[in-house]
Amino acid sequence: MKEVTRIFDILDRLMELCPNKDDIFARKCDGKWEKYSVKEYVEISHALAYAFLALDLKPHDKIVTVTNNRAEWNFMDMGAALAGMIHVPVYPILSLENYQYIIPHSDAKLVLVGNDSIYQRVAPVVYDNISENALLYTANPIEGEKTFADLLELGRKNKSRFEATVEQNKKNISQHDVATIIYTSGTTGLPKGVMLSHRNLIQNFKGHAAMQIRDVSHRMLSFLPLCHIYERSLNYEYQFLGVSTYYAENIGTIAVDLKDSHADGFCAVPRVMEMMYDKLRAVGKDLKGLKRTIYEWAFDLAEKFDYQNTNFWYKLKNKIADILVYSKWRDNLGGHEMLIVSGGSSIQERIIRLFTAAKMYIFEGYGLTETSPVIAVNNPKEMLIKIGTVGKVLKSAGVEVKLAEDGEILTKGDCLMKGYYKDPHYTAEVIDAEGWFHTGDIGEFVEGDFLKITDRKKEIFKLSGGKYIAPQLIENIFKASPLIENLMVVGANEKYASAVIIPNFTYLKYWAIKHNMPQLDNEQLVQNEQVIARVQREIDQINATLSPHEQLKRVKIIADEWSIQTGELSPTLKLRRKIIYEKYDKLFRQIYGYSEGDAAK
């Protein structure tokens, strides 16, 4: 089998592993799956390499893609690699300011945008910032612009002219050459361009591919952005193993697309799994009588799942619950047992237990863009799993980890980036003299070698009394409540911790109906005294499980929705704390009793 040392080597491997596979990629468009075979993948990728060379692009030139997940993303990725160029994938949902920074900063020579809505935001930036050197193409046809199809035609026409050049590239390109620059989404400040080599990417995905229990007979659904290193690394893993990748139509069609594709798993961030969990819980609220009793029994049983709980009675109850309830969940999502990888931030243990009990096995992992990305992950192949941890360090991929005195996770090895593009100063700030990358995450080892993430170093703050608060840890505890959709804990330099809370309005509306309250909209609900009292009782119950200094002394319940589009969440659905602080400055002042002219601490 072809040894993979550069990204484009995957193409040769696929031709050996599954040359006749007709759905290495599929994309949902207007309700139908458009499929691409392995042979088409190889041919189109090479044609794009010829096109880039025909356009007189040079080795190490930057090719930017701004598009949702689709097969063309992979074609551009491989085409750039074959031509010796650097792929710079960018989120299709960024602000204008981010595009105005990233596109010029990356020294883009060619930009491919996906559809018209992306084009409207990106095209002016391309033309304004790259002037006469701009090469803009669109994946979807847009009047007056050159398209992906034009690129493909150009490449095919120039095959004989550049075929030898590409073959020579395959011999000359080093595994240590930069393959991609990924701009971190960031929760604060300007994006940083992370330079990753072929070796960075390949050593990492080979490491987690060795744990994979899916093969050429399986298919996985993809909906997290391919421009993010997490989904991209798994995307490479699937190709390496010959697993088919089916791209969801959009984030709102995940359940339908899982069912239609009969997928065997997917990658997710905790927020996606939280939403799926809430929908499953809501189903039970609509049931009556015995059906509701059985559903809630099965739901509670699933939340108690543990890999170590293998006694006869639990297994029997789980089997009965699977027949009556869990199998119906799977039927609504395609009917298959699933492998789900969760990363990006900490996921609540009850969610892992619930889905895993229903044979939709969640395996939590951890990593960063700068580490290509996986540092640690739970291992499904060898069943090396500890719920509540991100698994064991990926030593097989050359990853090393140690904890600093303050608990910060430090790492180095084959996974570590070559640095930040055009920013050696900041590179030196995060990689110390001994070569250790400072992740900014706080962690600990459980049972010797299972890594557990406890918080972000920069997000930990101190109360005025000197006690430290780890907000993410507390937020996850409160989000375990069915009443709470999201929250942000605050209180740096204050006497006590507080929070702004977005309740679970679906749950609240059920509760209001049950208590004979009139139909209220979200704004009315958060102002209703009975609702406020109900939420407060929930907070009091959770507070009783925390240390006194961790308890939320005051909260403000709001009717807003936090999203990527409105700015409170990053593209990977993490809280953008700085933006939330600014947005709710007046509210935070009220919480701590500041007058209009006082400055919050």
Side-chain angles (χ1 to χ4, degrees):
M1 193 66 67
K2 171 71 176 180
E3 183 183 4
V4 175
T5 59
R6 287 82 43 91
I7 291 302
F8 51 75
D9 290 329
I10 291 174
L11 298 175
D12 289 336
R13 179 182 169 88
L14 279 170
M15 287 300 292
E16 292 182 53
L17 183 65
C18 50
N20 297 316
K21 192 177 189 72
D22 66 356
D23 65 342
I24 191 64
F25 302 122
R27 179 181 176 231
K28 193 79 166 291
C29 291
D30 300 323
K32 296 182 179 179
W33 292 105
E34 294 179 352
K35 298 180 180 180
Y36 293 88
S37 69
V38 166
K39 290 176 181 175
E40 287 174 310
Y41 183 22
V42 173
E43 189 274 328
I44 293 172
S45 297
H46 281 78
L48 289 175
Y50 308 146
F52 299 148
L53 293 169
L55 290 168
D56 202 30
L57 299 185
K58 306 299 182 187
H60 312 300
D61 276 351
K62 317 305 186 300
I63 294 174
V64 171
T65 55
V66 192
T67 176
N68 295 318
N69 289 11
R70 55 198 299 164
E72 289 89 342
W73 190 99
N74 292 283
F75 302 150
M76 294 291 288
D77 186 52
M78 284 296 175
L82 286 163
M85 293 158 196
I86 296 171
H87 184 193
V88 185
V90 180
Y91 286 101
I93 50 174
L94 294 181
S95 67
L96 176 63
E97 291 75 17
N98 274 318
Y99 289 130
Q100 288 173 331
Y101 175 77
I102 291 172
I103 291 174
H105 186 271
S106 70
D107 300 317
K109 298 298 183 185
L110 184 148
V111 180
L112 176 84
V113 299
N115 55 35
D116 185 66
S117 65
I118 300 170
Y119 170 81
Q120 295 299 330
R121 288 177 287 122
V122 175
V125 178
V126 174
Y127 290 136
D128 290 348
N129 288 283
I130 310 182
S131 65
E132 72 276 2
N133 294 320
L135 291 173
L136 181 66
Y137 288 81
T138 65
N140 291 357
I142 294 175
E143 187 176 353
E145 292 292 351
K146 294 178 180 178
T147 67
F148 179 87
D150 293 327
L151 265 180
L152 197 53
E153 182 182 2
L154 176 66
R156 286 168 174 161
K157 285 181 178 178
N158 283 275
K159 178 179 178 180
S160 59
R161 182 181 171 196
F162 292 108
E163 190 170 20
T165 304
V166 169
E167 291 305 310
Q168 191 61 43
N169 284 346
K170 292 180 183 180
K171 298 175 183 177
N172 294 343
I173 292 171
S174 166
Q175 62 180 319
H176 300 292
D177 288 342
V178 174
T180 190
I181 298 174
I182 301 176
Y183 282 82
T184 56
S185 57
T187 52
T188 60
L190 291 171
K192 298 290 183 185
V194 178
M195 297 185 290
L196 299 178
S197 68
H198 290 271
R199 183 172 178 81
N200 288 149
L201 297 166
I202 289 165
Q203 288 296 101
N204 203 262
F205 78 66
K206 278 185 178 179
H208 51 78
M211 304 176 182
Q212 181 60 265
I213 54 177
R214 300 294 185 240
D215 57 31
V216 291
S217 65
H218 296 102
R219 57 183 62 165
M220 303 293 274
L221 188 74
S222 169
F223 53 83
L224 296 182
L226 276 169
C227 54
H228 190 272
I229 185 60
Y230 167 35
E231 184 74 17
R232 183 178 183 175
S233 187
L234 270 293
N235 188 53
Y236 287 142
E237 178 197 295
Y238 301 153
Q239 295 177 47
F240 183 76
L241 298 171
V243 176
S244 299
T245 302
Y246 278 58
Y247 295 117
E249 193 158 6
N250 58 62
I251 196 76
T253 64
I254 294 171
V256 173
D257 294 339
L258 278 169
K259 187 170 185 177
D260 288 351
S261 66
H262 302 286
D264 299 289
F266 55 90
C267 297
V269 291
R271 187 72 195 107
V272 170
M273 300 313 300
E274 288 167 10
M275 290 187 287
M276 293 179 72
Y277 173 95
D278 289 342
K279 287 180 180 178
L280 291 176
R281 180 184 282 278
V283 169
K285 303 297 180 184
D286 287 333
L287 300 175
K288 304 294 182 184
L290 182 60
K291 285 186 177 180
R292 179 166 180 167
T293 300
I294 292 171
Y295 190 94
E296 291 184 345
W297 166 77
F299 202 97
D300 292 342
L301 180 71
E303 289 191 311
K304 296 180 177 65
F305 173 86
D306 195 303
Y307 283 101
Q308 280 69 52
N309 188 356
T310 56
N311 70 70
F312 171 79
W313 291 111
Y314 178 83
K315 290 167 73 173
L316 177 62
K317 287 187 286 186
N318 183 266
K319 188 171 184 178
I320 294 169
D322 191 77
I323 294 169
L324 297 176
V325 179
Y326 307 154
S327 61
K328 310 299 189 298
W329 293 352
R330 293 195 302 276
D331 287 344
N332 288 330
L333 297 173
H336 290 192
E337 294 184 13
M338 279 194 269
L339 187 154
I340 302 166
V341 179
S342 178
S345 60
S346 297
I347 185 171
Q348 299 164 35
E349 288 186 26
R350 63 176 182 150
I351 293 175
I352 297 177
R353 297 182 192 281
L354 180 101
F355 283 93
T356 300
K359 299 179 182 177
M360 295 182 282
Y361 305 96
I362 296 179
F363 300 94
E364 190 174 8
Y366 163 69
L368 297 92
T369 305
E370 290 88 343
T371 58
S372 307
V374 181
I375 292 174
V377 67
N378 282 285
N379 185 335
K381 193 167 190 177
E382 297 180 21
M383 294 302 288
L384 297 173
I385 301 160
K386 179 71 176 173
I387 293 175
T389 76
V390 294
K392 295 188 176 185
V393 173
L394 199 63
K395 292 180 180 178
S396 62
V399 180
E400 298 178 53
V401 166
K402 72 175 182 179
L403 301 181
E405 289 185 7
D406 62 358
E408 184 178 7
I409 299 166
L410 311 182
T411 186
K412 66 179 178 179
D414 290 332
C415 66
L416 188 55
M417 66 173 179
K418 293 178 76 74
Y420 294 112
Y421 188 52
K422 297 181 182 177
D423 202 341
H425 177 75
Y426 192 63
T427 301
E429 282 188 22
V430 298
I431 301 176
D432 65 28
E434 296 179 354
W436 291 98
F437 173 69
H438 292 240
T439 65
D441 291 308
I442 303 295
E444 61 186 15
F445 282 103
V446 177
E447 295 183 6
D449 48 9
F450 286 96
L451 184 61
K452 183 179 179 67
I453 312 302
T454 56
D455 219 294
R456 285 287 297 167
K457 183 175 180 178
K458 290 181 179 179
E459 291 171 3
I460 292 174
F461 60 81
K462 189 188 290 187
L463 299 174
S464 60
K467 294 286 189 180
Y468 283 97
I469 294 291
Q472 189 180 108
L473 184 64
I474 297 171
E475 287 157 3
N476 277 337
I477 292 170
F478 276 89
K479 284 198 295 183
S481 164
L483 261 173
I484 297 173
E485 178 81 13
N486 217 332
L487 75 159
M488 189 175 89
V489 174
V490 298
N493 302 314
E494 304 290 353
K495 292 180 181 179
Y496 51 82
S498 299
V500 57
I501 289 178
I502 297 174
N504 183 331
F505 287 106
T506 302
Y507 185 97
L508 275 184
K509 286 172 181 176
Y510 278 118
W511 181 85
I513 292 169
K514 185 177 178 181
H515 288 78
N516 301 313
M517 294 173 64
Q519 287 191 343
L520 304 174
D521 63 25
N522 291 358
E523 194 64 49
Q524 291 170 325
L525 279 169
V526 301
Q527 295 176 24
N528 182 278
E529 290 185 5
Q530 288 178 264
V531 170
I532 293 171
R534 174 65 186 92
V535 175
Q536 188 59 55
R537 287 199 300 274
E538 190 79 0
I539 291 165
D540 291 343
Q541 283 186 332
I542 299 170
N543 272 340
T545 68
L546 302 174
S547 300
H549 72 279
E550 295 176 317
Q551 295 174 4
L552 303 182
K553 305 300 184 185
R554 295 191 68 189
V555 301
K556 287 287 185 179
I557 308 168
I558 60 174
D560 295 352
E561 179 181 346
W562 292 347
S563 69
I564 299 168
Q565 288 73 24
T566 53
E568 299 89 358
L569 302 181
S570 76
T572 50
L573 304 181
K574 298 175 186 174
L575 295 182
R576 304 189 79 166
R577 295 180 188 272
K578 183 174 182 291
I579 289 174
I580 296 173
Y581 269 119
E582 292 171 353
K583 182 171 183 176
Y584 298 101
D585 177 69
K586 185 175 180 179
L587 190 149
F588 293 141
R589 290 173 186 275
Q590 292 173 1
I591 287 177
Y592 289 105
Y594 291 109
S595 63
E596 194 67 31
D598 290 338
K601 293 182 182 179

